Amino acid sequence: MQNREQWGSKLGFILAASGSAVGLGNIWKYPHMAGENGGGAFTIVYLICILVVGLPIVIAEFVIGRKTQLSPVGAFETVAPKSNWKWVGMLGVASAFVILSFYGVVGGWTLKYTLISLTGGFSQLAGDPETSGTLFDSFIKGALAPILWQIVFMGFTIFVIVQGVKGGIEKWTKIMMPAILVILVVLMIRGLTLPNGTQALDFLFKPKFEDLTASSIVLALGHSFFTLSLGMGTMITYGSYLRKDQNLLSSALWIIFLDTLIAMMAGVAIFATVFAMGADPGAGPGLIFVVLPTIFPKIVGGAIWGTLFFFLLFMAALTSAISILEVITAYFIDEKGWGREKATIIFGSVVTVVGAFCSLSMGAFNITSFMDISFFDVLDYLSSKYMLPIGGMLTALFVLYRWGVPNFITEMVLGMDDHNINPAVVRILFMVSAAVVGFILLNEIIATITGTPIIG
Ligand code: PHE
């Protein structure tokens, strides 16, 4: 344990953890989910979940990781030896496999679209969503091309993780995170200065509650876990590479702030462009890959904007994908005594193979066709609607009823100048957080069984 790798600096940790948080969830999922679920109303539920549920759980994960200096399975086992709590860690490792499988597929799409834009391929799509839709559809439903791009994307992910915590994750996120922020600011200003661009603000922030259903509330909750990389031990793993002098409260606040800021900026940049060109905001998952390519060629310098946008999306996806693979790699290093290189290459490859089936399920060969839903969607729904919220809720319950709030606070205040933490407040925060997740899950289950939710 003395040889455990460590982050090189406090800022490096914050950038790595916010790199994990900021990803496809912010730039691809949030805008299309908000677009389909009432814009402002979805945004409000999502923001409430981030604050009420997300904040305590981000801190809990950091504290558990730093205390034990181990990835999730070992971490739960250390605090609660010979108990069933290690299964929460196992659930996390399983979620990592599930999420990275489909995440890598979309990561591959971002690379392909960067290249299309760079080579001027969007120009024939100007104002023609139909052709753009056909192009996207035939690409993702193809057997070979999307898998090749997925392999390239996973190759980058493996490449970073093999280099370790400081020399890999930290080094690369320190370059990519500032680049993402700069490109996003430029794109947002570009969007807002287009005619009608400011309609995006109304759409995203003015609530239309009638569009909110039980299902969209669960979606907003699940999304708040997904976007903060919570409920599967990513933040436990990243926290395990910390020294005791990091202020975990301020780090968590920074990460939540950056993640939310970037989601909102991406939403504004994308919807401003969509409204300026009179496109459909409710276009679903294709919003970015179908609608945006028809809009870029109509803007002066469109090929450059398009390339910047998809490259930004690629970098955001990569800084998240590495954090997911690190959960798997760290499990095999900590629990099985494997070397980093071996663990990363073997399990990076396993995930790539499962991911290839996800990609095939888009059209070429769907192994879940009997369920009327693609394997890709099964993995996405399963992880973000159930696995992450359940993992997060159990983490909160773990602090409350197994580890104990006083022990938790003793570890949490290390690295903080101001030690004035009231245990009663901490207890209430964790209880509310666990109760909200429990209630929303129950509400969804009741809605699925009876057809009438309690709320929504
Ligand atoms: N937070 C990432 C995103 O928003 C996805 C992610 C989920 C990363 C879970 C790690 C763990 O895209």
Side-chain angles (χ1 to χ4, degrees):
M1 225 164 36
Q2 281 144 345
N3 298 330
R4 191 169 189 76
E5 293 178 79
Q6 298 280 332
W7 301 109
S9 66
K10 294 186 180 184
L11 179 69
F13 164 69
I14 291 178
L15 287 179
S18 43
S20 168
V22 173
L24 293 171
N26 307 58
I27 302 163
W28 174 60
K29 274 185 146 189
Y30 164 68
H32 84 70
M33 286 164 102
E36 292 169 303
N37 293 285
F42 182 85
T43 305
I44 288 178
V45 178
Y46 154 72
L47 290 179
I48 293 175
C49 289
I50 292 273
L51 275 184
V52 175
V53 181
L55 180 62
I57 298 178
V58 178
I59 299 175
E61 290 204 13
F62 284 162
V63 174
I64 294 171
R66 187 180 67 181
K67 164 80 189 166
T68 57
Q69 299 281 298
L70 284 170
S71 53
V73 176
F76 283 104
E77 180 65 20
T78 305
V79 182
K82 306 222 178 343
S83 70
N84 281 323
W85 284 103
K86 64 170 175 302
W87 291 103
V88 182
M90 292 304 290
L91 177 69
V93 179
S95 308
F97 272 101
V98 169
I99 294 178
L100 192 51
S101 300
F102 71 83
Y103 210 87
V105 175
V106 183
W109 300 351
T110 65
L111 276 171
K112 165 78 177 175
Y113 269 68
T114 306
L115 195 72
I116 302 185
S117 181
L118 192 65
T119 52
F122 289 163
S123 57
Q124 89 254 21
L125 305 176
D128 184 359
E130 218 156 293
T131 315
S132 178
T134 317
L135 178 88
F136 177 62
D137 247 33
S138 62
F139 166 60
I140 65 166
K141 290 186 174 158
L144 213 59
I147 294 183
L148 285 179
W149 285 107
Q150 180 229 0
I151 293 174
V152 176
F153 180 83
M154 289 303 297
F156 280 115
T157 310
I158 293 170
F159 170 78
V160 174
I161 292 303
V162 162
Q163 296 170 69
V165 174
K166 189 171 157 199
I169 303 175
E170 182 169 351
K171 180 175 126 197
W172 289 102
T173 45
K174 261 182 157 166
I175 300 171
M176 289 191 279
M177 285 305 287
I180 291 171
L181 257 176
V182 172
I183 299 178
L184 206 51
V185 169
V186 173
L187 286 173
M188 190 177 72
I189 296 174
R190 172 67 277 199
L192 283 176
T193 48
L194 290 170
N196 291 330
T198 46
Q199 278 183 17
L201 301 175
D202 266 3
F203 178 76
L204 277 176
F205 302 117
K206 232 199 219 152
K208 292 197 292 301
F209 284 107
E210 62 276 14
D211 291 340
L212 217 53
T213 61
S215 192
S216 58
I217 297 172
V218 178
L219 225 55
L221 171 82
H223 184 65
S224 59
F225 277 93
F226 186 86
T227 190
L228 290 175
S229 309
L230 290 185
M232 54 164 264
T234 315
M235 296 308 184
I236 295 183
T237 309
Y238 274 18
S240 76
Y241 304 125
L242 278 175
R243 279 185 226 98
K244 304 286 181 193
D245 60 352
Q246 185 100 12
N247 183 330
L248 296 181
L249 178 62
S250 73
S251 306
L253 287 170
W254 264 110
I255 288 149
I256 290 185
F257 169 72
L258 281 173
D259 186 70
T260 310
L261 179 76
I262 289 185
M264 299 300 129
M265 280 168 60
V268 170
I270 291 164
F271 283 112
T273 322
V274 167
F275 284 117
M277 299 297 161
D280 173 17
L287 182 68
I288 278 177
F289 293 97
V290 175
V291 179
L292 290 185
T294 66
I295 297 171
F296 286 127
K298 294 203 208 166
I299 307 174
V300 183
I304 300 170
W305 301 116
T307 310
L308 279 179
F309 177 79
F310 283 103
F311 190 63
L312 153 89
L313 194 57
F314 159 69
M315 288 192 292
L318 184 61
T319 53
S320 300
I322 57 178
S323 73
I324 309 178
L325 185 57
E326 180 63 18
V327 170
I328 303 174
T329 296
Y331 168 74
F332 285 94
I333 295 176
D334 292 344
E335 301 305 309
K336 308 281 170 204
W338 287 27
R340 169 169 290 276
E341 208 169 313
K342 177 177 158 196
T344 308
I345 293 175
I346 292 188
F347 288 97
S349 309
V350 171
V351 169
T352 309
V353 172
V354 180
F357 282 99
C358 267
S359 177
L360 288 173
S361 82
M362 306 301 302
F365 168 62
N366 185 10
I367 51 175
T368 55
S369 52
F370 60 93
M371 290 162 62
D372 221 22
I373 176 171
S374 69
F375 182 50
F376 183 104
D377 288 333
V378 170
L379 296 191
D380 183 6
Y381 281 133
L382 191 69
S383 53
S384 45
K385 275 178 104 172
Y386 297 102
M387 295 171 89
L388 299 184
I390 290 173
M393 182 175 71
L394 290 173
T395 306
L397 293 176
F398 175 78
V399 172
L400 282 170
Y401 302 113
R402 176 70 209 218
W403 194 15
V405 170
N407 294 332
F408 167 82
I409 293 178
T410 309
E411 172 70 30
M412 176 183 159
V413 296
L414 301 177
M416 283 170 60
D417 300 331
D418 184 3
H419 289 208
N420 257 339
I421 305 274
N422 183 339
V425 174
V426 174
R427 191 167 287 121
I428 290 171
L429 288 177
F430 277 114
M431 282 178 169
V432 171
S433 158
V436 168
V437 181
F439 176 72
I440 295 181
L441 284 172
L442 194 70
N443 188 48
E444 163 81 354
I445 293 168
I446 291 176
T448 314
I449 297 174
T450 66
T452 27
I454 309 169
I455 54 161

